[in-house]
Amino acid sequence: MKRRSVLAALAAAGLAFSAAPGAWAQAKYQPEYRLSTVVGTAFPWGKAGERWGDLVRQRTNGRINIKMYPGASLVAGDQTREFTAIRQGVIDLAIGSTINWSPQIRQLNVFSLPFLMPDYDAIDALTGGEVGKELFRIIEKTGVVPLAWGENGFREVTNSKRPLRRPEDFKGLKFRVVGSPLFLDTFTALGANPTQMSWADAQPALASGAVDGQENPLTIFTAAKLHTVGQKNVTLWGYVADPLIFVANKEVWENWSKEDQKIVREAAVEAGRYCIDLAREGMTGGDPAVHKTIAGFGVGIVKLTPDERAAFVKVTRPVYDKWAKQIGPDLVKKAEGAVAARKKKS
Ligand code: X2X
């Protein structure tokens, strides 16, 4: 081969090499990526999903096009199957509650230990510290890529029958609870009758009176207008809070370029921050705006005194101890240590 044609051949080969990986990678990009959430854009959770999608679309110039499927619709509303569906690739991306994924990852139950986290700083101490890192490592080991934390919020208890101030007040009331068996134990310890059901089923069950009450963050209460389904009593007991986790299916993640992975991860962190801010907006201070809004709906709000709170801590302690063993005593110790050492911001 003449020198010129060798050079030409090398150049052609070089071109082919430099073009091929890009083209190969691009071919693996899907026209749409399906993002699962339980609730839609009326809620901080859904707003965060929308924000994540918008940021990613803009910053990748449309290479990654995220479409949100609220109502856990990709798993026919059965939010406790969401995590499995992400692993299987039925769902590409998700922002999920630690509660809904607890049936598959028992360590996520740590956030549902009654009265472990007394305030927002305690949530931050867990998600932002060693406990959060360890949970992300556990998720990663299952083949799902964790990207950022968000927040659903402190779950306050509501019902249609009466104000709840003491554990005895729960006696005989029917409660809809979420998908981790820990919640069945907590409400049983209180003397109530808990039934596990999805969020989709919860609203008609409240409306028909099939159940008397439920527990959810106040942002869910207001956006879902739970006062219109008989929920006239709210007790602020702050017994548990559920953080949200932004994740990607591993195969989807690995088919993206490093540059796009960075964009998706940073956008998740930003949308997560936005979610946490929205989840906490109007919740703190002497006369929180959200409490006023809910009182304006004709709903009675019970705020517990320290002694009243202590009575709930005591009654639910056996549940805490039982589940601490299932979650892993080391992780729970780490969580308790982080809460005790937390920095007070609020
Ligand atoms: O089902 C619920 O209560 C909700 C919406 O808060 C969760 O998905 C955990």
Side-chain angles (χ1 to χ4, degrees):
M1 217 188 264
K2 282 189 192 149
R3 194 179 143 79
R4 260 184 77 174
S5 49
V6 170
L7 281 180
L10 280 176
L15 264 184
F17 268 114
S18 62
W24 174 79
Q26 199 68 47
K28 293 202 158 194
Y29 277 46
Q30 301 166 197
E32 178 189 296
Y33 291 94
R34 309 201 294 176
L35 165 63
S36 179
T37 60
V38 175
V39 292
T41 51
F43 305 76
W45 187 342
K47 286 195 174 75
E50 186 178 49
R51 174 70 61 94
W52 192 20
D54 287 347
L55 290 173
V56 169
R57 201 172 305 106
Q58 284 160 16
R59 293 174 186 174
T60 61
N61 296 318
R63 279 190 303 282
I64 297 176
N65 178 32
I66 296 176
K67 181 162 182 227
M68 186 160 76
Y69 289 79
S73 59
L74 298 171
V75 282
D78 187 353
Q79 61 217 53
T80 56
R81 280 180 30 225
E82 192 180 49
F83 193 77
T84 305
I86 302 160
R87 292 183 69 185
Q88 292 168 341
V90 174
I91 290 171
D92 301 312
L93 300 164
I95 307 174
S97 162
T98 47
I99 300 170
N100 295 332
W101 297 354
S102 288
Q104 288 80 36
I105 302 183
R106 66 186 159 80
Q107 293 91 343
L108 289 179
N109 279 300
V110 69
F111 298 104
S112 304
L113 287 173
F115 303 102
L116 166 66
M117 299 179 292
D119 50 31
Y120 288 122
D121 296 327
I123 305 179
D124 293 342
L126 298 191
T127 56
E130 271 312 306
V131 169
K133 283 202 194 99
E134 188 167 334
L135 293 171
F136 270 22
R137 278 195 296 271
I138 292 165
I139 290 173
E140 190 112 45
K141 273 201 201 123
T142 69
V144 171
V145 184
L147 300 170
W149 293 95
E151 190 158 296
N152 194 17
F154 275 108
R155 302 180 69 89
E156 313 297 5
V157 64
T158 77
N159 85 100
S160 60
K161 299 284 192 218
R162 52 182 178 257
L164 305 173
R165 266 198 185 279
R166 306 161 307 156
E168 302 87 277
D169 299 331
F170 280 68
K171 207 163 201 67
L173 291 181
K174 285 179 267 162
F175 280 93
R176 172 269 173 172
V177 293
V178 267
S180 167
L182 191 163
F183 288 80
L184 292 173
D185 287 350
T186 301
F187 278 78
T188 302
L190 292 165
N193 296 330
T195 312
Q196 187 184 309
M197 64 180 83
S198 71
W199 173 238
D201 291 340
Q203 297 167 83
L206 290 165
S208 71
V211 293
D212 304 312
Q214 62 90 48
E215 46 80 63
N216 247 307
L218 297 182
T219 54
I220 298 261
F221 188 97
T222 54
K225 301 188 172 53
L226 293 186
H227 58 286
T228 65
V229 288
Q231 299 302 288
K232 295 293 186 193
N233 302 284
V234 173
T235 293
L236 303 173
W237 62 342
Y239 80 132
V240 304
D242 53 333
L244 303 176
I245 307 180
F246 291 62
V247 299
N249 165 277
K250 192 159 193 236
E251 202 177 321
V252 164
W253 179 256
E254 286 174 352
N255 281 336
W256 287 336
S257 68
K258 287 274 168 293
E259 181 203 4
D260 284 344
Q261 287 177 353
K262 184 164 182 277
I263 291 172
V264 173
R265 188 186 293 277
E266 284 175 0
V269 170
E270 280 178 49
R273 188 67 251 165
Y274 170 66
C275 181
I276 294 168
D277 289 346
L278 286 180
R280 298 181 185 183
E281 200 177 290
M283 294 286 185
T284 49
D287 193 8
V290 176
H291 298 185
K292 262 194 259 175
T293 303
I294 292 175
F297 296 149
V299 173
I301 300 184
V302 173
K303 294 182 188 165
L304 300 180
T305 65
D307 281 353
E308 285 168 343
R309 184 178 181 278
F312 283 104
V313 174
K314 190 165 169 230
V315 171
T316 55
R317 189 68 206 189
V319 179
Y320 186 111
D321 293 339
K322 171 185 165 185
W323 278 87
K325 286 196 202 95
Q326 304 201 18
I327 292 162
D330 289 348
L331 182 64
V332 173
K333 266 212 192 76
K334 218 181 265 181
E336 288 167 347
V339 170
R342 73 193 182 281
K343 292 204 182 69
K344 290 268 195 185
K345 281 172 274 140
S346 45

